[in-house]
Amino acid sequence: MKIKSLIKYFRLILLLLFSFMLSCGGDDDINVVIVDDEGEIPISVDFDITVSETNTFEISVNNTSTGITGLNSYWQFTENGESVPDGAGPERHVYSVSGDYLVTLTVEAPDGDIAVSKTVIIVGDDDSPALKNAAKGFSVGMAVRSDRLTGSHNAVLVREFNSLTAEFEMKMDQIYKTEGSLDFTASDAIVDYGVANNMDIHGHTLVWHNSIPVWMNNFSGTDEEFETLVKDYITTVMQRYAGKVRSWDVVNEAIEDGTNNLRNSIFRIRMGANYIEKCYQYARDADPNAILFYNDYNVTFDSGKQAAMFAIVDDLKSKNLIDGVGAQMHISYNFPRRAQIQSVVDGTVSRGLKMHFAELDIRVNPNNDITSLTEQRAIAQQNKAKEVAEIYNAIPDENKFALTLWGMRDSESWLPAFWGQPDWGLFYNDDFTPKKAHTGLIEGFR
Ligand code: XIL
């Protein structure tokens, strides 16, 4: 008895509430009723929009609808724009230019879709020194780690970047630590973050002599079994992220310094001299929509290495297995020269391929002659950054792709550990404020 009267009481409250909502319902707020065995269940579709205080181009939308549990819903951030699934919690969207935008939330209700739209006015500072706003026609990327995606890292990422690369967590020795079991924990975290923030994701890297799991180096099976392992790995990873990761470095750094021959990696030993072609074929088959890159370092100033790279690239291109060239930009404030950087661009453009300026950092202490970042070196770094950005900017639109920075703060750079001496090769200070080198990029993009 007691429970029955409670239910009655609760229903009455619901009905009263519902009629109140009907009488209040404005343009933004649509109320319909569907009736099922339980009685009347009101569906109310609505949402809030807030504009970010740190980035005036960024909005956050929060679905405040009621009665929609179990129903699919999605967002459109521009009129008839791309549909973005409505996940748990607020979603963010970053516009690139000021304007009035229609934001729509659609709920797929049993009796038909219910859509509610609101207009948001974006008055961004279009001259603001956010890298992604200054770069026209290409993405600006950042190398990230899964434990550096929150707090100030997140604020800088969403303000400045529209592309991500995993600094190491999407490499084979991380994903495939143990034979027979793939671990996507960190890579998923990075991909999910990129997707949630509408960023391009550049996959780095499927096959690299420097990230081979120990067990794979010691693999005792036949060469045929080894090849199947590699094929399955490329296929599984690429298919997992198909539609999310738009591009991949399939093979990274295949050329040996000095000789310019193919490195005698386990891949070459086990799969033969045409292992590169095989890997690109697996990649093409796994995700035909992915943009496939070959990525290597010192291909600006080392003309022999550059020629060896383009020989590999030409062979892949003749089989329609490659779409772009990644020139790793691990450079210094005084080297390589502008014309040397330009040469790899010219080679890429003349082949009709996309150019990725990958892994940009600019050493200021290659000769170990400073113990802190001097004003003079900071300016020299700014000038080199500007030069790199200018060269990239001048690439024909159809060959533009992305310019990716290899880390955020100087203290997070791989450079000091790699070279065994201090350096300040990146674009943000330890307090996350942009360095002069950052200004150099903005200047070069304009
Ligand atoms: C480096 C990362 O920065 C390090 O964190 C990691 O431990 C080793 O790899 N060329 C590449 C990158 O293609 O993957 C390398 O990144 C730097 C050189």
Side-chain angles (χ1 to χ4, degrees), residues 167 208 210 253 257 297-298 328 330 361 363 406 413-423:
E167 186 169 354
W208 186 30
N210 238 341
E253 303 181 355
D257 293 308
Y297 61 91
N298 293 358
Q328 293 181 22
H330 298 297
D361 42 33
R363 295 166 74 194
W406 207 241
S413 171
W414 74 302
L415 289 170
F418 183 78
W419 293 104
Q421 60 197 45
D423 216 310

Side-chain angles (χ1 to χ4, degrees), residues 208-223:
W208 186 30
H209 68 283
N210 238 341
S211 66
I212 304 170
V214 177
W215 67 265
M216 197 181 258
N217 255 326
N218 301 329
F219 184 68
S220 60
T222 64
D223 290 349

